[in-house]
Amino acid sequence: MNHKRPPVIAGNWKMNGTSEMVRQFSESILNNVWDENLKQCEIIVCPPAPLIPLFCENASQAAFVVGGQDCHSSESGAYTGDVSALMLKDVGCNSVIVGHSERRISYNEINSTVKLKASAAKKAGLTAIVCVGETQDQKNDGETVEIVTTQVLESIPESASDIDTMIAYEPIWAIGTGKIPKINEIANVHNAIRGAVAKSKGAEVAERIRILYGGSVKPDNVAEILSIDDVDGALVGGASLSSNDFWSLCTNAAKLFAMLSRKV
Ligand code: PGA
């Protein structure tokens, strides 16, 4: 984490949750005291599409923002089951995850698909959280940096900037498994991602763009992961379903950021 880039904690509920869960989650977050540290963090919750409006109703009071988990690249049309970026914006989202590995794998989304979705998000006024990450085999073969930087370069629109884009590095083998890469491995990949962004978007965008880590982030490992200079936040799956865990994660990130900011 770097004091110049406010941290982001984004919770991805995936295909989990009910309206009752949204109510309980929002209430318990509201019951916590929002100290000044937490206000420095950007907290995003990405529920399944049907729960977004209910979440948005509660979000403004609870000081988090709401994001989608995916969007179509078109604004509207005959795409049964899909949701457009404009629709997400219309119901109150400020961001959307694109290119999550679960979508890349289950729906054959490739980098060019992800790029179109990220462009649609930008056009609709949403921040795209562009996910990248290697498989276990690719890691074993020493291909991580090459795979991930290629995904970054091919998935991010030409016109993308640090304002409308974040990157989430999520090793596929770390998602939902309780395994995480070694700290120096995360540092190395994030540094390579920032380098790739510098090459394609220039040094200033690279310096400001937020690069999140995702894959088995929990309240007890978040501080160690976020202590890495080039890690600007976390994309959290399982632990975002519990308001207590999610709250601890956000609080730990905020404390770390406040400490860093005091040092400069
Ligand atoms: P996890 O999921 O935190 O449950 O590992 C992360 C993700 O898929 O974004």
Side-chain angles (χ1 to χ4, degrees):
M1 200 187 275
N2 180 304
H3 71 278
K4 291 188 196 139
R5 297 185 292 264
V8 181
I9 302 291
N12 174 10
W13 276 26
K14 307 191 179 181
M15 200 174 71
N16 296 294
T18 58
S19 51
E20 185 47 35
M21 221 172 118
V22 175
R23 278 187 208 98
Q24 282 173 5
F25 189 94
S26 307
E27 225 167 79
S28 74
I29 296 267
L30 271 177
N31 287 339
N32 283 289
V33 182
W34 282 82
D35 66 18
E36 285 309 308
N37 290 345
L38 268 163
K39 288 186 189 149
Q40 309 288 319
C41 279
E42 196 172 330
I43 300 172
I44 309 173
V45 182
C46 304
L51 299 179
I52 288 174
L54 186 58
F55 243 119
C56 288
E57 267 173 41
N58 295 285
S60 56
Q61 303 165 55
F64 55 81
V65 291
V66 181
Q69 295 178 10
D70 177 50
C71 66
H72 197 276
S73 53
S74 297
E75 288 182 0
S76 62
Y79 303 104
T80 302
D82 277 315
V83 168
S84 76
L86 265 184
M87 290 169 180
L88 294 175
K89 180 74 181 174
D90 184 44
V91 293
C93 289
N94 86 329
S95 52
V96 60
I97 299 169
V98 291
H100 191 283
S101 58
E102 285 152 15
R103 298 219 44 106
R104 288 181 185 259
I105 294 165
S106 304
Y107 297 89
N108 301 319
E109 292 188 5
I110 54 174
N111 294 337
S112 55
T113 328
V114 178
K115 186 176 180 176
L116 287 173
K117 291 182 175 207
S119 296
K122 178 183 161 86
K123 196 165 167 216
L126 299 175
T127 299
I129 305 172
V130 180
C131 300
V132 296
E134 84 285 4
T135 63
Q136 182 72 69
D137 284 348
Q138 289 165 337
K139 177 181 166 58
N140 295 347
D141 293 342
E143 294 172 352
T144 300
V145 165
E146 198 198 322
I147 294 283
V148 166
T149 51
T150 304
Q151 286 176 331
V152 167
L153 293 173
E154 294 182 359
S155 305
I156 291 184
E158 277 75 29
S159 62
S161 77
D162 51 287
I163 313 269
D164 50 55
T165 309
M166 296 181 200
I167 298 167
Y169 167 53
E170 299 205 301
I172 296 170
W173 54 271
I175 294 176
T177 58
K179 293 192 249 173
I180 62 163
K182 295 191 186 82
I183 290 303
N184 68 318
E185 290 173 332
I186 301 177
N188 188 33
V189 179
H190 277 241
N191 185 265
I193 292 174
R194 209 173 290 287
V197 175
K199 252 199 223 152
S200 75
K201 306 280 175 262
E204 272 182 33
V205 171
E207 185 55 31
R208 287 194 302 255
I209 200 162
R210 268 117 22 117
I211 308 175
L212 320 185
Y213 168 81
S216 297
V217 179
K218 307 285 176 216
D220 58 0
N221 63 16
V222 68
E224 192 184 13
I225 294 169
L226 294 188
S227 299
I228 303 168
D229 190 46
D230 279 313
V231 177
D232 307 308
L235 180 54
V236 186
S240 72
L241 291 168
S242 143
S243 55
N244 279 345
D245 284 352
F246 193 61
W247 181 258
S248 315
L249 266 159
C250 296
T251 309
N252 289 347
K255 267 192 212 147
L256 203 65
F257 187 64
M259 218 169 67
L260 271 177
S261 305
R262 272 198 299 273
K263 275 194 196 155
V264 288

